[in-house]
Amino acid sequence: VSASWDRTCRLWDIDTGATKAKFRGHTSDVIAVAFSPDNRKIITGSRDKTIKLWNTLGDCRLTIAPPGSRGVVQPVSHDSWVSAVTFTEVSATKFVTAGHDDDVKVFDLAAFESSKTLTP
């Protein structure tokens, strides 16, 4: 899976080099992308300040928007670019993000919340 400046990410077939799925929905460059430990979910972070959760078919299942976004409910994303995303090693429901706002956030999809914000 790869992130791109064209506001998408792609899931590739390594053997053929063909695109298996194209993930569209971010409104700015996709900076970070990661697979869940069970290889069933993909998470992306973008310069549009959103975090998106996808299935491997390219369907967006959840968008976590920045604070102050219209209609946003918990959890909330970062105040700036989302520059890194990763799932925890043992869970397909917990992931960590980092943003240019200097915050690191821990999300728990099972509880649908941002369980921690780490600020230097």
Side-chain angles (χ1 to χ4, degrees):
V1 67
S2 64
S4 178
W5 294 102
D6 70 357
R7 303 180 307 225
T8 69
C9 77
R10 291 177 189 241
L11 180 62
W12 300 91
D13 182 318
I14 292 177
D15 294 327
T16 66
T19 300
K20 293 177 78 173
K22 192 171 185 178
F23 303 72
R24 293 183 176 100
H26 283 289
T27 59
S28 190
D29 313 327
V30 179
I31 304 294
V33 63
F35 260 110
S36 64
D38 64 4
N39 290 323
R40 298 178 71 195
K41 298 177 192 83
I42 295 170
I43 192 156
T44 55
S46 172
R47 286 179 54 169
D48 66 9
K49 305 177 188 176
T50 64
I51 301 160
K52 292 187 179 280
L53 179 72
W54 311 80
N55 66 20
T56 56
L57 301 175
D59 302 318
C60 183
R61 296 299 184 199
L62 175 68
T63 298
I64 301 172
S69 297
R70 192 169 75 150
V72 70
V73 294
Q74 287 290 342
V76 294
S77 182
H78 294 269
D79 290 322
S80 188
W81 303 358
V82 180
S83 55
V85 296
T86 189
F87 280 91
T88 62
E89 291 181 23
V90 295
S91 174
T93 63
K94 291 186 180 180
F95 61 92
V96 179
T97 65
H100 279 260
D101 56 4
D102 294 330
D103 285 347
V104 174
K105 294 189 176 226
V106 181
F107 291 90
D108 184 347
L109 292 173
F112 195 68
E113 67 180 6
S114 172
S115 57
K116 289 183 184 174
T117 298
L118 313 171
T119 305

